[in-house]
Amino acid sequence: MILASMISTHYMDTLPRWPDPEEMRYVPRNINGTEVYQTRQEDRHLTIIEDGSAGFLVIGLGLGLVYLERWGATQARTAEEDEAEDDAG
């Protein structure tokens, strides 16, 4: 997501605010309320990065939740074992 933000900011600062057919910049993109015009390749590149970063975020959150669930189960099992040892001793 940081990479996508960096590219978006760069595009916002450097790309034209109106279509430029000579440079094939006619694909509009709204970046923080500013419309810039980019090539199809630039549009595809940034879209892939944005979609990929969102996918990685979802996968990371899912893996984090699985880890926390397993860690919590391990902690509960350890606490039960400690209680059983205290009761026996």
Side-chain angles (χ1 to χ4, degrees), residues 49-79:
I49 290 173
E50 288 173 341
D51 293 347
S53 64
F56 280 119
L57 176 66
V58 169
I59 290 169
L61 288 173
L63 291 174
L65 290 174
V66 168
Y67 172 79
L68 288 174
E69 178 64 30
R70 288 188 178 186
W71 180 78
T74 302
Q75 294 299 317
R77 195 171 24 252
T78 302

Side-chain angles (χ1 to χ4, degrees), residues 4-70:
S5 295
M6 289 173 55
I7 292 172
S8 291
T9 302
H10 175 72
Y11 281 5
M12 189 174 66
D13 292 340
T14 60
L15 294 182
R17 308 270 194 265
W18 54 90
D20 187 357
E22 291 176 5
E23 292 187 23
M24 303 297 289
R25 295 187 187 284
Y26 53 84
V27 179
R29 178 176 292 267
N30 187 328
I31 301 173
N32 295 332
T34 302
E35 189 166 281
V36 296
Y37 289 86
Q38 58 194 353
T39 64
R40 287 183 193 256
Q41 183 179 4
E42 290 168 336
D43 181 52
R44 191 175 320 118
H45 183 247
L46 185 54
T47 300
I48 288 170
I49 290 173
E50 288 173 341
D51 293 347
S53 64
F56 280 119
L57 176 66
V58 169
I59 290 169
L61 288 173
L63 291 174
L65 290 174
V66 168
Y67 172 79
L68 288 174
E69 178 64 30
R70 288 188 178 186

